[in-house]
Amino acid sequence: MTDDLTPEIHPLLLCGGSGTRLWPLSRKSYPKQFARLTGEESLFQASARRLSGPGFAAPMAITGSDFRFIVTEQLAAVEIAPAAILIEPEGRNTAPAILAAALALEARAPGALMLVAPADHVIPDAARFRDVVQAAAPAAHAGRIVTFGIRPDRAETGYGWLELTDAPDADFSPVPQDLKGFVEKPDDATARAMLEGGQHLWNAGIFLMSSATLIAAFETHAPEMLAGTRAAVDGAERDLGFTRLAPDPWAALDDISIDYAVMEKSDNLTVVPYGGAWSDLGGWDAVWRDSGPDTAGVVTAGPSTALDCENTLLRAESEAQELVGIGLSDVIAVAMPDAVLVAHKDRAQDVKQAVAALKAKGVPQAETLPRDYRPWGWYESLVVGERFQVKRIHVTPGAALSLQSHHHRSEHWIVVEGTAKVTVDETVQLVTENQSVYIPLGAVHRMENPGKVPMVLIEVQTGAYLGEDDIIRYEDVYARGQGAKG
Amino acid sequence: MTDDLTPEIHPLLLCGGSGTRLWPLSRKSYPKQFARLTGEESLFQASARRLSGPGFAAPMAITGSDFRFIVTEQLAAVEIAPAAILIEPEGRNTAPAILAAALALEARAPGALMLVAPADHVIPDAARFRDVVQAAAPAAHAGRIVTFGIRPDRAETGYGWLELTDAPDADFSPVPQDLKGFVEKPDDATARAMLEGGQHLWNAGIFLMSSATLIAAFETHAPEMLAGTRAAVDGAERDLGFTRLAPDPWAALDDISIDYAVMEKSDNLTVVPYGGAWSDLGGWDAVWRDSGPDTAGVVTAGPSTALDCENTLLRAESEAQELVGIGLSDVIAVAMPDAVLVAHKDRAQDVKQAVAALKAKGVPQAETLPRDYRPWGWYESLVVGERFQVKRIHVTPGAALSLQSHHHRSEHWIVVEGTAKVTVDETVQLVTENQSVYIPLGAVHRMENPGKVPMVLIEVQTGAYLGEDDIIRYEDVYARGQGAKG
């Protein structure tokens, strides 16, 4: 469907969301698009790879500041070099995010086509999906906004639907047709009627159009948002390869979806049907459904064992934790070393409320994972005592922590993998596997990984106060401030 | 009920069992009697305290070799000095264990009364129970074997029952009467009839008699077992305050219960009714029942949150792990950092099979806990890598590990609490909080806690092989062999 004459399509990976419906796997600090939900790759990585190859330009991504290093690390792991990574100063829903990307793309490649792709969907048949996207390109070049309609397989009341004039053919060929209208999340009867009628498809929020077309739509339907977003893009700062949108105009933008801001008001919408499998993994019930339950309806993942269960999902997320289910019906159980969810399958959508309840109680597991991702790699706390803490610290090749000191703790570092370059006051030394260094209280120190393989270090802290905010930064290649986390 | 003229009753705490029905909390390496199931004390500790005070002599305990230091540590923690701790070379059910204790007691205090008390029962009203035991003493002195009959509150098919001639009075006064007979685990209809009839009580396996009476009963009904057990007692070795029964005669003994070996054949049985609450916590359903469910039937323990649940038990055993239940009915969920059980409440008795299935798969969580109890304290593995392992080691005051060396690993020790006395080859030094020592591969070393408070140390091991069996022992105060665990 693509040839050398077809200009490339620029994917925009939307990866700033932080949904909680897949808690405890998905947390605010590490949301579902970055988690390995269905295989070896994260949903974000699978999305990036799905939209690469002939006919596709290097992707853009838009995300929050907390996730920027996860984005670069995960793209590097699948060997995809992004064209741009835009940083939203705060989440403002999809309308400002997509518009900002369109403005940035229009400045770089006027008239280019942009594919808006949520990075947390599952679309197993990547080749078919790419073909369908390419089939939509002529309409997009002709000034249409193309939305992709997913073939429904159930009367889902949790999605918006798209109304067509004509039902797609039996093969679900990607033939563009004018969109008749949007249907908001329907009631059960309406959803059943739409499923039977065959002239309604699911709205997956995937769009293809030229950046110019989209900007024009905003000009017509949301001119204030266009002005504000343009100011945020024009005022953006470049920082270590990231494009940080300017915070002040950004904060004033409406927090609304692209559907509501422009799509539902535009009269130049086209639908291209997509007949392959698709899921937004919008809850654990969807994960269960999309994981291929056995004849008893059971799905197990990780070290889990189901005895006499039916219609049940058992997921053990850590190899170090065994999960056993006995005699369960319609239960979802997701086990992690620091948090466990057990829910009736019909209550999967209430996980959100449970997380809100935990957050209200001040439970850290509501939002954060034991493993904390940083620009230079990650760390996790192994044990916390009254006056000590043990951490495992993983530093990626070439990375460096800030030059820092602490008022209240001293640290023992033991390198267990790779080689560290360690600065303690005036001394710089290489420390390799099975060697240790002592950092006295108050000493100015830094840890770097000068090597080609990851460096892993065990840090034993002792002191009366062990909070992450006991830190004085003297130098930081990642431009973080005093007292900000390491 | 007791006065200075009443000779003391010698409790025998049976604590060698290793049931799996309360997995994952109860494991072969640390069974339920030692776990904190219902409060701050373990069931074993509560049993020992229940049978102490006026009228009771220092207790005996009989247990397996693996549990001997747990027994001493837990008794010390409740400030009870045992009269004797007998070690079974292997588990042979209750008949040989109780007989061995009777023989040991008869040698020490001829004619003394012995109270056989399983150490894994819950009996909340300790004062009432003590009074009832003392009320049974005259009958026991008169040569009767007294069994205590528990007031049934449901038609339980999982227990044996005791048949009485006359129903107990309304107050369940502890009036002895002759036992009419034993009823094996009944079917549902029989159990219901017994519950309604009022002349049957539960058989809890609690007995009071003189050691001479019991020995005579074995002489009549199981003379071979008496001869073998006597040989095991006569050949016992004293070892660090433990009485290790001789393994060879012991191994030849029948693996049968005291009920089957002698009680059901004896004609000198008396029943004393006990009207207070009692539970054997024979499964998670019993734990749920005995934990005082709220009006919705929900029990939560530890950091757990129940949303819209009913008749459900949620137990989070670690403060570091959050458990959330949503919309559950009749579910038992028990979460530990290394293992999670989720079962339908009616299937609580099948936990046993699930553990057997895990064991067959070679899953270590089937039988062992992350925390490993040793004569000198305990350790737990915090993280295991390809070529490194981090452990937290807790050494009780006055204790010492063996003098040892390793072929394949070196170790970094960082003391984080208390003070260690560390031997490395020819050097002996005191190492205190925030100090570290390096143990090179091959060095002969030992760690001791010479202080008055626990010593906690973080050990970082590096090497190509990190198994517990890479150990050469030069000296061991606990008489363990080469290659045996540290």
Side-chain angles (χ1 to χ4, degrees):
Chain A
M1 311 293 280
T2 174
D3 59 53
D4 291 349
L5 298 178
T6 311
E8 290 183 317
I9 289 171
H10 297 253
L12 169 64
L13 302 166
L14 298 175
C15 51
S18 60
T20 55
R21 283 181 296 182
L22 295 186
W23 186 91
L25 186 62
S26 176
R27 305 200 198 174
K28 195 181 169 206
S29 73
Y30 205 81
K32 79 172 189 195
Q33 60 269 28
F34 303 118
R36 289 184 187 168
L37 258 162
T38 53
E40 283 303 296
E41 288 182 341
S42 73
L43 298 174
F44 169 70
Q45 288 173 314
S47 301
R49 292 217 304 123
R50 186 185 309 124
L51 301 171
S52 61
F56 290 93
M60 295 177 287
I62 183 161
T63 192
S65 186
D66 287 351
F67 308 142
R68 66 197 194 280
F69 293 104
I70 305 176
V71 166
T72 50
E73 199 187 315
Q74 291 207 347
L75 286 177
V78 293
E79 297 181 342
I80 290 177
I85 300 176
L86 306 183
I87 308 293
E88 299 170 277
E90 59 188 284
R92 307 306 287 164
N93 211 322
T94 51
I98 294 170
L99 176 57
L103 290 165
L105 179 61
E106 182 65 14
R108 181 160 58 87
L113 296 190
M114 183 169 88
L115 179 77
V116 175
D120 57 353
H121 292 178
V122 175
I123 303 176
D125 190 346
R128 179 170 179 177
F129 184 71
R130 278 191 294 269
D131 285 349
V132 170
V133 169
Q134 296 291 352
H141 276 298
R144 307 289 297 181
I145 296 175
V146 182
T147 179
F148 295 86
I150 307 295
R151 186 210 303 250
D153 62 8
R154 62 183 186 276
E156 176 64 56
T157 57
Y159 300 152
W161 295 57
L162 303 168
E163 186 180 2
L164 281 62
T165 310
D166 301 307
D169 65 19
D171 294 335
F172 252 71
S173 307
V175 180
Q177 60 168 288
D178 287 0
L179 175 73
K180 204 163 163 193
F182 288 95
V183 182
E184 293 291 308
K185 291 179 183 177
D187 61 27
D188 203 49
T190 309
R192 261 186 304 214
M194 290 191 290
L195 180 66
E196 277 164 32
Q199 276 176 234
H200 289 84
L201 305 179
W202 288 341
N203 177 7
I206 308 170
F207 298 100
L208 182 73
M209 66 260 142
S210 76
S211 44
T213 301
L214 190 69
I215 294 164
F218 273 92
E219 200 139 41
T220 307
H221 303 296
E224 282 189 26
M225 180 168 286
L226 176 59
T229 306
R230 199 186 291 278
V233 172
D234 291 346
E237 279 186 21
R238 292 238 149 216
D239 159 24
L240 299 171
F242 301 109
T243 303
R244 286 182 180 277
L245 300 168
D248 282 351
W250 190 263
L253 298 174
D254 282 348
D255 187 336
I256 57 173
S257 73
I258 188 87
D259 287 34
Y260 185 76
V262 296
M263 298 303 177
E264 295 179 5
K265 297 168 181 161
S266 298
D267 56 5
N268 59 336
L269 267 85
T270 289
V271 190
V272 170
Y274 179 67
W278 168 92
S279 171
D280 71 343
L281 296 182
W284 285 116
D285 49 342
V287 174
W288 169 78
R289 198 171 40 233
D290 295 326
S291 303
D294 68 14
T295 51
V298 172
V299 174
T300 60
S304 35
T305 305
L307 295 182
D308 298 334
C309 294
E310 54 181 25
N311 301 322
T312 284
L313 172 69
L314 299 181
R315 281 185 68 115
E317 302 294 339
S318 157
E319 285 303 314
Q321 192 177 35
E322 202 70 29
L323 172 61
V324 173
I326 305 175
L328 302 173
S329 294
D330 296 298
V331 166
I332 280 158
V334 182
M336 299 183 76
D338 73 327
V340 177
L341 170 74
V342 185
H344 192 283
K345 193 150 61 60
D346 295 347
R347 300 292 298 274
Q349 296 305 314
D350 296 330
V351 171
K352 212 168 169 154
Q353 282 95 285
V355 176
L358 291 186
K359 192 182 166 188
K361 281 202 267 180
V363 171
Q365 287 95 325
E367 300 199 326
T368 56
L369 280 171
R371 190 170 286 189
D372 204 338
Y373 287 82
R374 295 303 169 86
W376 42 260
W378 52 263
Y379 73 82
E380 61 191 356
S381 182
L382 299 176
V383 63
V384 181
E386 274 293 302
R387 290 176 48 84
F388 73 95
Q389 176 168 216
V390 184
K391 286 180 176 176
R392 170 195 205 171
I393 299 176
H394 183 107
V395 184
T396 47
L401 279 71
S402 62
L403 187 68
Q404 56 188 241
S405 68
H406 312 292
H407 284 304
H408 302 292
R409 67 177 187 254
S410 32
E411 296 173 348
H412 292 262
W413 292 351
I414 298 115
V415 175
V416 293
E417 279 179 33
T419 299
K421 184 175 159 195
V422 174
T423 304
V424 183
D425 291 329
E426 306 304 309
T427 316
V428 179
Q429 56 184 311
L430 287 178
V431 184
T432 191
E433 191 182 305
N434 195 30
Q435 295 182 332
S436 68
V437 182
Y438 177 61
I439 317 290
L441 190 152
V444 175
H445 59 280
R446 184 206 294 274
M447 156 191 331
E448 297 167 68
N449 179 359
K452 301 290 180 203
V453 296
M455 187 272 286
V456 181
L457 177 150
I458 303 300
E459 175 177 279
V460 181
Q461 306 176 345
T462 53
Y465 177 78
L466 302 168
E468 289 296 325
D469 55 351
D470 173 18
I471 187 166
I472 303 157
R473 282 218 173 78
Y474 303 91
E475 239 181 75
D476 183 19
V477 294
Y478 311 109
R480 294 162 300 168
Q482 300 304 336
K485 296 192 296 178
Chain B
M1 311 292 281
T2 174
D3 59 54
D4 290 351
L5 299 177
T6 311
E8 290 185 315
I9 289 172
H10 297 254
L12 168 64
L13 302 166
L14 298 174
C15 50
S18 59
T20 55
R21 283 181 295 183
L22 294 186
W23 186 90
L25 185 63
S26 176
R27 306 200 197 174
K28 193 179 170 208
S29 73
Y30 205 81
K32 78 171 189 194
Q33 60 270 28
F34 302 119
R36 289 184 187 168
L37 259 162
T38 53
E40 282 304 294
E41 288 183 341
S42 73
L43 298 174
F44 169 69
Q45 288 173 314
S47 301
R49 290 217 305 123
R50 187 185 307 123
L51 300 171
S52 60
F56 290 93
M60 296 178 286
I62 183 161
T63 191
S65 186
D66 287 350
F67 309 141
R68 66 197 194 281
F69 293 104
I70 304 177
V71 166
T72 50
E73 198 186 313
Q74 291 206 347
L75 286 177
V78 294
E79 298 181 340
I80 289 176
I85 300 176
L86 307 182
I87 309 292
E88 299 170 277
E90 59 188 284
R92 307 306 287 163
N93 210 324
T94 51
I98 293 171
L99 176 56
L103 290 165
L105 179 61
E106 182 66 13
R108 182 160 57 87
L113 296 191
M114 182 169 88
L115 179 77
V116 176
D120 57 353
H121 292 178
V122 174
I123 303 176
D125 190 345
R128 178 169 179 176
F129 186 70
R130 278 191 295 268
D131 284 348
V132 170
V133 168
Q134 296 291 352
H141 276 298
R144 306 290 296 181
I145 296 175
V146 181
T147 178
F148 296 86
I150 308 294
R151 186 211 302 251
D153 62 7
R154 62 182 186 277
E156 177 64 57
T157 58
Y159 301 151
W161 294 58
L162 303 169
E163 186 179 2
L164 280 63
T165 310
D166 301 307
D169 65 18
D171 294 335
F172 250 72
S173 306
V175 180
Q177 62 169 287
D178 288 0
L179 175 73
K180 203 163 164 191
F182 288 94
V183 182
E184 292 291 308
K185 291 179 183 178
D187 60 26
D188 204 49
T190 310
R192 262 186 303 214
M194 290 192 290
L195 181 66
E196 277 164 33
Q199 275 175 234
H200 289 83
L201 305 179
W202 289 340
N203 178 7
I206 308 170
F207 299 101
L208 181 73
M209 66 259 142
S210 75
S211 45
T213 300
L214 189 70
I215 294 164
F218 273 92
E219 199 141 42
T220 308
H221 304 297
E224 284 189 25
M225 180 168 286
L226 177 59
T229 306
R230 200 187 289 279
V233 173
D234 290 346
E237 281 187 20
R238 290 242 150 213
D239 159 26
L240 298 172
F242 302 108
T243 302
R244 287 183 178 276
L245 300 168
D248 281 353
W250 190 264
L253 298 175
D254 283 348
D255 187 336
I256 56 174
S257 72
I258 188 86
D259 287 34
Y260 185 77
V262 297
M263 298 302 176
E264 294 179 6
K265 297 168 182 161
S266 299
D267 56 5
N268 58 336
L269 266 85
T270 289
V271 191
V272 171
Y274 180 67
W278 168 92
S279 171
D280 71 344
L281 297 182
W284 286 116
D285 49 342
V287 174
W288 168 79
R289 197 170 41 232
D290 295 325
S291 303
D294 67 15
T295 51
V298 172
V299 174
T300 59
S304 35
T305 305
L307 294 181
D308 297 334
C309 295
E310 53 180 27
N311 300 323
T312 284
L313 172 68
L314 299 181
R315 281 184 67 114
E317 302 294 340
S318 158
E319 285 303 314
Q321 192 177 35
E322 201 71 27
L323 172 61
V324 173
I326 305 175
L328 303 172
S329 294
D330 296 298
V331 166
I332 279 158
V334 182
M336 298 182 77
D338 73 327
V340 178
L341 170 73
V342 185
H344 192 284
K345 193 150 61 62
D346 296 346
R347 301 292 298 274
Q349 295 306 313
D350 295 330
V351 171
K352 212 169 167 152
Q353 282 95 284
V355 175
L358 291 186
K359 191 183 167 187
K361 282 202 266 181
V363 171
Q365 286 96 324
E367 300 199 327
T368 56
L369 280 172
R371 188 169 287 188
D372 204 338
Y373 287 81
R374 296 304 168 85
W376 41 261
W378 52 262
Y379 73 83
E380 61 191 354
S381 182
L382 299 176
V383 63
V384 181
E386 275 292 304
R387 291 175 47 85
F388 73 93
Q389 176 168 216
V390 183
K391 285 180 177 176
R392 170 194 204 169
I393 298 177
H394 182 108
V395 183
T396 46
L401 279 71
S402 63
L403 186 69
Q404 57 188 244
S405 69
H406 312 293
H407 285 305
H408 302 291
R409 67 176 188 256
S410 31
E411 296 174 348
H412 291 262
W413 292 352
I414 298 115
V415 174
V416 293
E417 280 179 33
T419 298
K421 183 176 161 193
V422 174
T423 304
V424 183
D425 291 329
E426 306 303 308
T427 315
V428 179
Q429 57 183 311
L430 286 179
V431 184
T432 191
E433 190 182 306
N434 195 30
Q435 295 182 331
S436 68
V437 182
Y438 176 62
I439 317 291
L441 189 153
V444 176
H445 59 280
R446 184 207 292 273
M447 156 191 333
E448 297 166 69
N449 179 0
K452 301 291 180 201
V453 296
M455 188 272 287
V456 181
L457 176 149
I458 303 300
E459 175 178 280
V460 181
Q461 306 176 344
T462 54
Y465 178 76
L466 302 169
E468 289 297 324
D469 56 351
D470 174 18
I471 187 166
I472 303 157
R473 281 218 174 77
Y474 302 92
E475 239 181 74
D476 182 19
V477 293
Y478 310 109
R480 293 162 300 168
Q482 299 305 334
K485 296 191 295 177

